[in-house]
Amino acid sequence: MRRSFLVLLAASFAAGPAFSQPSPDPLYQKKYFAGESCLRCHSQIRERGAGPDTAAAGPEALYDPQAYDVIIVGGGLSGLASAYYLRGLKVLVLDKEDAVGGKARSQRWGDKAYGVAADFMVTPYWKPIADLLKDLKIESFTLPRPTNAFMTPDGREIADPLTAGLPRLAATPRDRQRLARMVKDLTAFDAEPVLGNMPPVPLKLPGRGVKLDEVGFKAYMRRNYGPAAIPGFPDFADRYALSLSGAADVSALYGLSMISTDFTDATNITWDGGTGVLAEKLAAAVGPGNLRTRALVTAVRPDGSVEYYRGRRRRIARAKAVVMTVPSFVAAKLLSGMPPWKTRALAAVRYSAYAKAIIALDKPFDLGAFDLWSMRKTVFSDLVDERWGRPEAPAAAPGAPVKLVDAYIPLGGDDGRRYLLQVSDQELAGRVAKDFLSLFPKISPGDIHGIRIIRWGHAMPVDYPGYLTRIRPQVERPVGRIFFAGVDTQMPCIEGAISSGYFAARQVRDYLARGQAGR
């Protein structure tokens, strides 16, 4: 359940004449997909003013003659899952990028595949997701132990730090007692039938869940297990499962849900190229004829009409229902006619930012675990070996890298987004290289083939105290024929993205069935 970063941005590639044409983002002039730094999102959506743009000054709209049952705004994992679960209906998925997938996309560097965001997920414990992987014939690789390792400040690498290696983190007998109690409590939490199996998040949480959601995770851990249970654990949690926001920023319910799995024997699965394999399989199942890329949605109206630009031509499509799978701040800009409670809920969602650096090496390299977490003051929180447990094929062509290592760079909220907009690739890559070399003295600067930077300005919603119980249900709640999916409506992880599509599709089918029955 842990760190599967998913979030979905609205759709497209080039702005239309109804609003100012943004300056080209240099990040998108590259030969690889570099994420969403916020530049296009701000210029094309945020800064257009409140409410949808009617494009009155633009050319006459081209109306889509198709009669759609459902239009899905956003072609990331949530949108693709929604479309998959709506098979049999006439569905159109609109996405602003040149390919669907959102954060669940794969890229290649030479013959080496990597994910642009999330790299793995917990072995499915929820039947609909397990069934989906089976139906799509997605072959996954179960990551061997050690899945995790810690690089301590004094340079020790501790494998399986939250299970077999846990006693090595205790400095005193009292700390060991606290550790034992913490492990017992987290294991029991993970075994709870509802709270220990989120996502999906139920519409109504049990009483204990409501109480945990009102408390900050850092305060909860400090109060129950003391600041020295694991040296600096509450602060280090800022860089662990909760590294995009921080233990002080999220609720105890969210924190326990994310980290409790690591204290059990649960296994993790991955694919060659990360979670992009999921998106590719879903897109193939949905069918290319139902996917429309480079489509910038500019307005969604209560009657089910969706205005979008493809190139510089304004287009309008209509459907019996619309599913919004974009971030809530984007949905608020696109939608009109929303009741005050929905407007307030969408505005209450906060986001964190991060970058991912792909470090290409010209020599073999063993990270020692799938995911190595740095307890030193490095720019990245952790390093991931996407090929962990599998033999590394030699470079297929001269000049191609031999090994890829992923570095995750948590940046927090507004300040992090501003930094992401200002820092150059060269500067950020330089910081990554410096810290990487400091951790591994046997690697020389000449061994680094290159570093690619991928930016995510609105990486994931922050499940702050009260969000899961008071805000999330309102974000998920439909308004008329407008439905909502995406990690804002569940939890920010792969499982949250897929389950949100499942529930949105079920709501849409119920709505359409009621409409047919009323005729």
Side-chain angles (χ1 to χ4, degrees):
M1 274 189 294
R2 240 175 6 91
R3 169 112 132 239
S4 302
F5 308 118
L6 255 299
V7 76
L8 306 136
L9 295 174
S12 180
F13 191 75
F19 44 90
S20 60
Q21 176 74 31
S23 300
D25 184 343
L27 295 178
Y28 293 87
Q29 314 306 312
K30 298 180 178 177
K31 294 181 180 180
Y32 65 92
F33 178 65
E36 169 61 271
S37 67
C38 290
L39 285 179
R40 291 181 304 158
C41 203
H42 288 177
S43 62
Q44 296 177 344
I45 296 170
R46 187 190 70 175
E47 293 163 8
R48 289 173 46 233
D53 194 321
T54 60
E60 182 178 349
L62 179 65
Y63 284 85
D64 192 326
Q66 293 284 348
Y68 295 102
D69 293 310
V70 189
I71 294 175
I72 298 171
V73 181
L77 206 54
S78 300
L80 293 173
S82 299
Y84 177 80
Y85 289 119
L86 288 168
R87 285 168 302 161
L89 300 177
K90 185 66 176 175
V91 174
L92 175 65
V93 179
L94 300 172
D95 192 271
K96 79 176 187 302
E97 302 294 348
D98 58 356
V100 295
K103 286 189 173 56
R105 285 179 61 169
S106 296
Q107 296 277 283
R108 302 195 75 84
W109 197 334
D111 64 335
K112 311 296 182 186
Y114 63 88
V116 301
D119 290 324
F120 73 98
M121 65 182 286
V122 174
T123 300
Y125 50 87
W126 190 52
K127 189 176 183 300
I129 294 182
D131 290 345
L132 181 144
L133 297 185
K134 181 179 179 181
D135 293 345
L136 293 177
K137 296 181 172 56
I138 298 177
E139 295 184 5
S140 57
F141 175 77
T142 300
L143 291 167
R145 301 279 185 180
T147 305
N148 294 299
F150 283 0
M151 176 72 80
T152 63
D154 59 3
R156 291 178 299 147
E157 189 168 321
I158 299 179
D160 282 329
L162 303 184
T163 51
L166 198 58
R168 295 178 61 190
L169 294 172
T172 67
R174 186 182 182 190
D175 287 345
R176 281 191 287 273
Q177 291 178 350
R178 287 171 164 170
L179 279 174
R181 180 161 52 87
M182 181 177 69
V183 171
K184 181 179 178 181
D185 291 350
L186 288 171
T187 303
F189 181 93
D190 192 70
E192 291 190 30
V194 176
L195 301 182
N197 286 288
M198 298 192 308
V201 183
L203 195 59
K204 186 174 178 58
L205 285 162
R208 181 168 182 247
V210 174
K211 291 180 179 178
L212 287 172
D213 193 47
E214 296 297 330
V215 181
F217 181 53
K218 185 172 183 176
Y220 175 88
M221 296 298 289
R222 192 174 284 274
R223 182 174 67 243
N224 285 279
Y225 309 113
I230 294 177
F233 177 76
D235 293 307
F236 181 60
D238 289 10
R239 314 198 75 205
Y240 191 56
L242 318 166
S243 60
L244 294 194
S245 48
D249 300 328
V250 299
S251 75
L253 177 60
Y254 172 79
L256 293 171
S257 297
M258 288 290 107
I259 206 168
S260 61
T261 303
D262 291 323
F263 288 83
T264 70
D265 292 327
T267 56
N268 297 315
I269 58 176
T270 189
W271 304 267
D272 189 19
T275 54
V277 174
L278 292 176
E280 290 164 7
K281 289 282 190 178
L282 281 169
V286 170
N290 299 315
L291 307 173
R292 197 161 295 172
T293 56
R294 300 190 179 191
L296 176 68
V297 174
T298 55
V300 178
R301 299 187 175 84
D303 65 357
S305 61
V306 177
E307 177 187 279
Y308 66 99
Y309 279 83
R310 212 171 183 213
R312 301 189 66 84
R313 187 62 187 267
R314 185 165 66 100
R315 302 164 187 262
I316 294 177
R318 290 192 173 94
K320 299 172 186 174
V322 178
V323 181
M324 305 293 294
T325 72
V326 295
S328 296
F329 80 96
V330 175
K333 290 290 185 182
L334 303 182
L335 291 163
S336 58
M338 291 294 102
W341 63 264
K342 174 60 81 170
T343 301
R344 288 193 297 269
L346 296 176
V349 184
R350 308 170 193 164
Y351 296 93
S352 58
Y354 79 97
K356 182 177 181 178
I358 310 299
I359 307 170
L361 300 174
D362 284 327
K363 65 185 292 185
F365 176 72
D366 183 4
L367 197 57
F370 172 72
D371 202 343
L372 177 65
W373 295 85
S374 170
M375 298 180 76
R376 297 187 184 181
K377 292 186 179 302
T378 50
V379 66
F380 44 80
S381 59
D382 60 312
L383 301 166
V384 168
D385 179 355
E386 291 195 40
R387 294 287 302 176
W388 174 250
R390 291 165 288 177
E392 190 77 55
V402 173
K403 181 73 179 178
L404 300 183
V405 178
D406 303 350
Y408 286 93
I409 306 165
L411 294 169
D414 291 343
D415 288 343
R417 266 187 293 282
R418 281 190 285 269
Y419 174 77
L420 200 62
L421 286 167
Q422 296 168 2
V423 68
S424 67
D425 278 9
Q426 291 77 8
E427 180 181 349
L428 193 53
R431 293 185 63 189
V432 170
K434 178 182 177 182
D435 289 346
F436 183 79
L437 293 171
S438 73
L439 293 183
F440 306 105
K442 292 183 179 180
I443 298 291
S444 69
D447 294 327
I448 297 180
H449 180 91
I451 296 178
R452 291 180 177 180
I453 301 295
I454 304 166
R455 304 167 188 243
W456 296 109
H458 295 90
M460 58 185 271
V462 179
D463 288 3
Y464 56 82
Y467 181 84
L468 289 172
T469 50
R470 290 184 278 109
I471 306 302
R472 188 204 66 81
Q474 299 300 305
V475 175
E476 181 186 28
R477 183 178 164 189
V479 178
R481 68 181 74 235
I482 311 297
F483 298 82
F484 298 83
V487 290
D488 296 12
T489 71
Q490 276 291 324
M491 295 177 82
C493 56
I494 295 295
E495 299 88 343
I498 296 174
S499 62
S500 75
Y502 173 88
F503 289 118
R506 198 165 70 175
Q507 291 174 337
V508 168
R509 287 190 182 275
D510 289 345
Y511 169 80
L512 294 178
R514 290 196 306 271
Q516 293 291 338
R519 289 181 180 177

